[in-house]
Amino acid sequence: GRAWLLARQKDSSAALNLFREGVQKNSSKPASWTNLGRFFQQSKRYEDALFCYRKAISISPWYWNAYEWMHEYFEESPDAYNLLGNYYYSKGDYTTAAAEYAAALKADSSYAKAYSNLAYTALEINMFEEAIRYFKKAHMNDPLVYPAKNIALVLIDKADQLLLKQE
Protein backbone atom coordinates (compact mmCIF):
# COMPACT_ATOMS: atom_id res chain seq x y z
CA GLY A 1 0.00 0.00 0.00
CA ARG A 2 1.39 3.26 1.24
CA ALA A 3 4.97 2.06 1.57
CA TRP A 4 5.11 1.04 -2.09
CA LEU A 5 3.53 4.35 -3.10
CA LEU A 6 6.24 6.22 -1.20
CA ALA A 7 8.91 4.01 -2.77
CA ARG A 8 7.58 4.81 -6.26
CA GLN A 9 7.62 8.51 -5.36
CA LYS A 10 11.32 8.13 -4.47
CA ASP A 11 10.73 8.79 -0.75
CA SER A 12 12.92 5.86 0.26
CA SER A 13 13.36 6.87 3.88
CA ALA A 14 9.61 7.11 4.56
CA ALA A 15 8.96 3.90 2.63
CA LEU A 16 11.62 2.03 4.59
CA ASN A 17 10.12 3.26 7.86
CA LEU A 18 6.69 1.94 6.82
CA PHE A 19 8.09 -1.43 5.73
CA ARG A 20 9.96 -1.75 9.04
CA GLU A 21 6.81 -0.77 10.92
CA GLY A 22 4.96 -3.49 9.04
CA VAL A 23 7.56 -6.05 10.12
CA GLN A 24 7.36 -4.87 13.75
CA LYS A 25 3.56 -5.17 13.80
CA ASN A 26 3.46 -8.43 11.84
CA SER A 27 6.78 -10.12 12.56
CA SER A 28 5.23 -13.59 12.35
CA LYS A 29 3.87 -13.04 8.83
CA PRO A 30 6.16 -13.95 5.92
CA ALA A 31 4.55 -11.31 3.68
CA SER A 32 5.85 -8.52 5.95
CA TRP A 33 9.41 -9.80 5.70
CA THR A 34 9.10 -10.44 1.97
CA ASN A 35 7.86 -6.90 1.30
CA LEU A 36 10.78 -5.47 3.25
CA GLY A 37 13.11 -7.78 1.32
CA ARG A 38 11.64 -6.68 -1.99
CA PHE A 39 12.16 -3.04 -1.01
CA PHE A 40 15.78 -3.78 -0.10
CA GLN A 41 16.25 -5.53 -3.43
CA GLN A 42 14.97 -2.57 -5.35
CA SER A 43 17.29 -0.36 -3.28
CA LYS A 44 20.21 -2.64 -4.24
CA ARG A 45 20.71 -3.68 -0.60
CA TYR A 46 21.03 -7.32 -1.53
CA GLU A 47 22.36 -8.73 1.73
CA ASP A 48 19.47 -7.14 3.64
CA ALA A 49 17.02 -8.49 1.05
CA LEU A 50 18.41 -12.00 1.37
CA PHE A 51 18.14 -11.81 5.16
CA CYS A 52 14.46 -10.82 4.89
CA TYR A 53 13.65 -13.58 2.39
CA ARG A 54 15.33 -16.17 4.57
CA LYS A 55 13.36 -14.89 7.55
CA ALA A 56 10.10 -15.19 5.57
CA ILE A 57 11.01 -18.75 4.54
CA SER A 58 11.91 -19.67 8.13
CA ILE A 59 8.42 -18.55 9.19
CA SER A 60 6.69 -20.37 6.35
CA PRO A 61 8.67 -22.73 4.10
CA TRP A 62 5.66 -22.70 1.75
CA TYR A 63 5.65 -18.94 1.15
CA TRP A 64 6.42 -19.00 -2.56
CA ASN A 65 6.86 -15.23 -3.11
CA ALA A 66 10.00 -15.20 -0.98
CA TYR A 67 11.57 -17.90 -3.15
CA GLU A 68 10.44 -16.31 -6.38
CA TRP A 69 11.71 -12.81 -5.60
CA MET A 70 14.93 -14.09 -4.12
CA HIS A 71 15.57 -16.14 -7.25
CA GLU A 72 14.77 -13.21 -9.55
CA TYR A 73 17.56 -11.03 -8.19
CA PHE A 74 20.07 -13.62 -7.06
CA GLU A 75 20.36 -15.71 -10.19
CA GLU A 76 24.09 -16.11 -9.77
CA SER A 77 23.79 -17.12 -6.12
CA PRO A 78 23.90 -20.85 -5.46
CA ASP A 79 21.95 -20.27 -2.22
CA ALA A 80 18.87 -19.12 -4.10
CA TYR A 81 18.87 -22.21 -6.32
CA ASN A 82 19.58 -24.44 -3.35
CA LEU A 83 16.64 -23.01 -1.40
CA LEU A 84 14.37 -23.48 -4.40
CA GLY A 85 15.59 -27.05 -4.64
CA ASN A 86 14.77 -27.57 -0.96
CA TYR A 87 11.27 -26.24 -1.59
CA TYR A 88 10.65 -28.71 -4.42
CA TYR A 89 12.28 -31.55 -2.49
CA SER A 90 9.96 -30.95 0.46
CA LYS A 91 6.99 -31.22 -1.92
CA GLY A 92 8.29 -34.52 -3.33
CA ASP A 93 9.12 -33.04 -6.74
CA TYR A 94 12.58 -34.58 -6.95
CA THR A 95 13.12 -33.90 -10.64
CA THR A 96 12.63 -30.15 -10.26
CA ALA A 97 14.62 -30.16 -7.01
CA ALA A 98 17.54 -31.84 -8.79
CA ALA A 99 17.38 -29.26 -11.57
CA GLU A 100 17.60 -26.41 -9.04
CA TYR A 101 20.52 -28.07 -7.24
CA ALA A 102 22.26 -28.49 -10.60
CA ALA A 103 21.69 -24.78 -11.28
CA ALA A 104 23.32 -24.02 -7.92
CA LEU A 105 26.36 -25.98 -9.08
CA LYS A 106 26.38 -24.10 -12.35
CA ALA A 107 26.62 -20.87 -10.33
CA ASP A 108 29.33 -22.35 -8.06
CA SER A 109 30.82 -25.73 -8.93
CA SER A 110 32.31 -26.12 -5.44
CA TYR A 111 29.00 -25.61 -3.59
CA ALA A 112 28.98 -28.64 -1.29
CA LYS A 113 25.39 -28.15 -0.08
CA ALA A 114 24.07 -28.69 -3.59
CA TYR A 115 26.11 -31.87 -4.01
CA SER A 116 24.77 -33.16 -0.70
CA ASN A 117 21.21 -32.25 -1.63
CA LEU A 118 21.60 -33.96 -5.00
CA ALA A 119 22.79 -37.05 -3.12
CA TYR A 120 19.71 -37.06 -0.89
CA THR A 121 17.49 -36.51 -3.92
CA ALA A 122 19.13 -39.45 -5.70
CA LEU A 123 18.54 -41.60 -2.61
CA GLU A 124 14.83 -40.72 -2.66
CA ILE A 125 14.54 -42.25 -6.12
CA ASN A 126 16.87 -45.17 -5.31
CA MET A 127 19.76 -44.05 -7.51
CA PHE A 128 22.46 -45.23 -5.13
CA GLU A 129 25.54 -44.98 -7.34
CA GLU A 130 24.63 -41.40 -8.23
CA ALA A 131 24.00 -40.60 -4.55
CA ILE A 132 27.42 -41.94 -3.59
CA ARG A 133 29.05 -39.89 -6.35
CA TYR A 134 27.35 -36.70 -5.12
CA PHE A 135 28.13 -37.44 -1.47
CA LYS A 136 31.79 -37.88 -2.41
CA LYS A 137 31.78 -34.50 -4.19
CA ALA A 138 30.16 -32.85 -1.17
CA HIS A 139 32.85 -34.39 1.02
CA MET A 140 35.61 -33.34 -1.38
CA ASN A 141 34.40 -29.71 -1.39
CA ASP A 142 33.69 -29.44 2.35
CA PRO A 143 35.07 -32.38 4.34
CA LEU A 144 34.35 -30.76 7.71
CA VAL A 145 30.62 -30.43 7.05
CA TYR A 146 30.27 -33.65 5.04
CA PRO A 147 32.62 -36.21 6.62
CA ALA A 148 32.80 -39.64 5.04
CA LYS A 149 31.52 -41.25 8.27
CA ASN A 150 28.22 -39.33 8.03
CA ILE A 151 27.82 -40.29 4.39
CA ALA A 152 28.19 -43.96 5.30
CA LEU A 153 25.56 -43.58 8.04
CA VAL A 154 23.09 -42.02 5.63
CA LEU A 155 23.58 -44.86 3.15
CA ILE A 156 23.19 -47.49 5.88
CA ASP A 157 20.00 -45.81 7.09
CA LYS A 158 18.55 -45.81 3.58
CA ALA A 159 19.43 -49.49 3.16
CA ASP A 160 17.69 -50.27 6.46
CA GLN A 161 14.58 -48.41 5.31
CA LEU A 162 14.48 -50.41 2.09
CA LEU A 163 14.90 -53.70 3.96
CA LEU A 164 12.05 -52.82 6.32
CA LYS A 165 9.79 -52.11 3.34
CA GLN A 166 10.51 -55.59 1.97
CA GLU A 167 9.50 -57.34 5.20
Side-chain angles (χ1 to χ4, degrees):
R2 260 182 58 218
W4 286 118
L5 177 64
L6 290 169
R8 280 192 295 275
Q9 293 173 344
K10 307 290 186 220
D11 190 350
S12 296
S13 178
L16 179 57
N17 287 337
L18 283 177
F19 283 118
R20 285 188 170 148
E21 186 179 308
V23 165
Q24 285 177 333
K25 289 181 181 177
N26 302 294
S27 63
S28 64
K29 295 189 177 183
S32 300
W33 287 99
T34 303
N35 282 328
L36 179 58
R38 185 83 167 154
F39 174 78
F40 282 140
Q41 245 177 336
Q42 292 178 352
S43 303
K44 298 189 183 336
R45 293 176 57 180
Y46 300 117
E47 291 299 317
D48 291 328
L50 189 57
F51 171 83
C52 291
Y53 293 144
R54 285 182 171 157
K55 181 68 175 174
I57 291 166
S58 75
I59 294 168
S60 175
W62 308 109
Y63 193 68
W64 180 250
N65 286 346
Y67 291 103
E68 184 177 41
W69 289 340
M70 181 171 42
H71 187 263
E72 177 183 320
Y73 281 89
F74 297 98
E75 287 186 22
E76 297 307 313
S77 168
D79 286 325
Y81 291 110
N82 194 61
L83 286 170
L84 275 171
N86 291 347
Y87 170 79
Y88 288 115
Y89 182 95
S90 69
K91 294 182 73 76
D93 184 352
Y94 303 119
T95 302
T96 306
E100 294 297 338
Y101 298 140
L105 291 170
K106 188 174 179 185
D108 179 357
S109 63
S110 67
Y111 191 63
K113 280 184 193 177
Y115 284 118
S116 176
N117 288 337
L118 276 168
Y120 282 103
T121 303
L123 282 178
E124 287 295 332
I125 53 177
N126 298 327
M127 297 179 71
F128 300 106
E129 288 180 24
E130 202 167 311
I132 291 168
R133 184 169 54 89
Y134 287 129
F135 275 134
K136 285 180 179 179
K137 286 187 176 192
H139 172 71
M140 184 178 69
N141 284 288
D142 197 344
L144 294 176
V145 175
Y146 303 103
K149 176 181 150 188
N150 290 2
I151 295 167
L153 292 173
V154 168
L155 293 170
I156 290 169
D157 183 54
K158 182 64 176 179
D160 287 344
Q161 289 174 18
L162 289 172
L163 287 173
L164 288 174
K165 282 182 184 179
Q166 290 179 350
E167 290 179 0

